[in-house]
Amino acid sequence: MPKLRDGSSLSTARSEAARRQLIRPFVCSTFRDFHAERDFLQERIFPQLNRICRERGTSFIPVDLRWNKTQSQQNSEHVLRMCLDSIGRCAPFFICLLGDRYGVHRAAESEVKDPATEEWLDRNFETAAACGYDWVLEEDNRYNSITELEIVQASFRKKYDYGYFYFRNSAHVEEKLQDVPPCQHDSVLSIYKPESEYAARKLRELKQQTIDTELPVRHFTTLEELGDLLIKDWLTVIDSLYPPINPLIFSSTESEVFRQWSAHEAFAMARRHVFVRTPRIREWSRC
């Protein structure tokens, strides 16, 4: 059997390279105020990282579950559960964008309650709890926003190895106001400003907890700054997990040899997993 310089066999090296797993970070943010950033990442930044991953025998495919509370309010009691499920499937990869909004949450005494939102949140919390996330009903979490619950799942309850936080500076609003006539300023501010004083305080506490937990936090103002920061962070992740493949192992990840090895390893991995169904698992699978 041919040997490489480090003494490992060519067969072993090919097997390891061919079974590299996907890098699938969950993308977390509040909804209304991060459309531009998420579009920019999807269209400009993630494809760059995916091209690098493809050269190394894997893929960079973030999970972006954008949802609209208003549109899905009537039949969306599974939104929170689906988000938490996806975070678990994406582990240990997590990308979080935070600005000045806290996100959808139960109203505090100082806030105006919207009955439809309260009912929607009640159903989502109850469904998530019934599907294994009973911690969302704990007193410390019942008044958290959906966004904070996602962060709790990925970074406070389980500190993922590859979770990065990108805090947007408030100065970005001033730049946006310069691009619209004065008559539209209130409309722009309504998208980006905190929902209330209570929400602003909750967000400050969340950001401080993130910093105190010593999670990687970056700060940006423009889309370009966000893109540069994200590429730098995730290139480091890619390099640490999947360095370039030695051409003696595979000349190219586009070669027929590599595709055959990848198919073989995928088949073998599928057969290694033994799934034993139990009454408890059957109950969860219906959630």
Side-chain angles (χ1 to χ4, degrees):
M1 181 68 66
K3 297 281 187 178
L4 300 176
R5 289 184 177 180
D6 62 4
S8 60
S9 72
L10 178 59
S11 176
T12 299
R14 282 184 165 179
S15 178
E16 291 176 352
R19 62 169 178 258
R20 290 182 168 185
Q21 300 298 298
L22 299 178
I23 296 178
R24 299 189 66 187
F26 183 89
V27 181
C28 166
S29 80
T30 46
F31 180 74
R32 293 182 60 198
D33 54 332
F34 272 100
H35 282 301
E37 285 79 3
R38 292 174 87 139
D39 287 343
F40 178 77
L41 294 178
Q42 289 283 3
E43 296 168 8
R44 300 277 298 277
I45 304 303
F46 294 159
Q48 293 183 47
L49 294 170
N50 190 44
R51 281 194 293 272
I52 294 170
C53 283
R54 295 287 293 175
E55 294 171 355
R56 302 187 185 190
T58 182
S59 297
F60 187 88
I61 307 177
V63 174
D64 184 347
L65 296 183
R66 302 194 206 192
W67 52 273
N68 187 318
K69 179 180 69 65
T70 301
Q71 294 175 354
S72 61
Q73 207 161 30
Q74 298 302 317
N75 56 0
S76 61
E77 66 270 12
H78 293 281
V79 167
L80 176 57
R81 189 268 304 170
M82 288 190 296
C83 290
L84 298 179
D85 281 352
S86 294
I87 289 170
R89 287 192 292 268
C90 291
F93 308 110
F94 187 70
I95 293 172
C96 183
L97 312 174
L98 289 177
D100 294 309
R101 294 180 66 83
Y102 180 56
V104 181
H105 61 281
R106 286 191 174 92
E109 292 184 2
S110 60
E111 297 180 302
V112 177
K113 287 190 176 183
D114 174 35
T117 297
E118 297 291 320
E119 192 269 340
W120 182 84
L121 286 167
D122 285 342
R123 289 190 289 117
N124 267 271
F125 274 61
E126 291 165 4
T127 299
C131 293
Y133 303 103
D134 53 347
W135 56 268
V136 303
L137 298 181
E138 295 173 1
E139 192 61 30
D140 289 343
N141 296 316
R142 285 186 59 83
Y143 290 89
N144 287 349
S145 68
I146 299 290
T147 303
E148 179 162 4
L149 292 174
E150 292 175 350
I151 295 170
V152 169
Q153 173 72 358
S155 302
F156 298 156
R157 290 178 59 83
K158 300 177 182 179
K159 188 176 180 180
Y160 287 0
D161 294 334
Y162 306 105
Y164 290 86
F165 288 75
Y166 303 89
F167 292 176
R168 185 176 59 198
N169 299 319
S170 299
H172 82 102
V173 177
E174 298 301 322
E175 296 183 2
K176 287 182 170 59
L177 291 178
Q178 294 175 9
D179 297 331
V180 299
C183 63
Q184 296 181 17
H185 283 191
D186 287 345
S187 177
V188 171
L189 289 173
S190 69
I191 295 174
Y192 296 103
K193 69 180 182 180
E195 300 92 330
S196 65
E197 291 184 6
Y198 169 80
R201 176 175 62 80
K202 288 282 288 182
L203 181 63
R204 286 195 301 271
E205 293 172 353
L206 174 59
K207 288 182 175 180
Q208 190 59 52
Q209 185 177 1
T210 302
I211 294 170
D212 292 344
T213 310
E214 298 183 345
L215 296 165
V217 174
R218 319 296 188 223
H219 298 267
F220 73 96
T221 300
T222 67
L223 296 178
E224 291 72 22
E225 289 173 355
L226 171 62
D228 290 344
L229 290 168
L230 202 135
I231 285 179
K232 180 179 179 181
D233 287 335
W234 289 90
L235 275 180
T236 300
V237 172
I238 295 167
D239 285 339
S240 66
L241 293 175
Y242 304 128
I245 297 175
N246 186 332
L248 295 176
I249 300 173
F250 288 112
S251 60
S252 169
T253 55
E254 300 298 324
S255 67
E256 182 61 27
V257 173
F258 180 80
R259 283 193 287 268
Q260 290 177 357
W261 273 83
S262 295
H264 171 79
E265 290 299 326
F267 178 84
M269 185 171 293
R271 294 301 180 271
R272 291 187 194 109
H273 292 286
V274 178
F275 187 74
V276 181
R277 295 181 69 82
T278 67
R280 180 61 172 166
I281 292 175
R282 282 196 294 271
E283 178 184 341
W284 284 4
S285 68
R286 290 194 294 267
C287 294

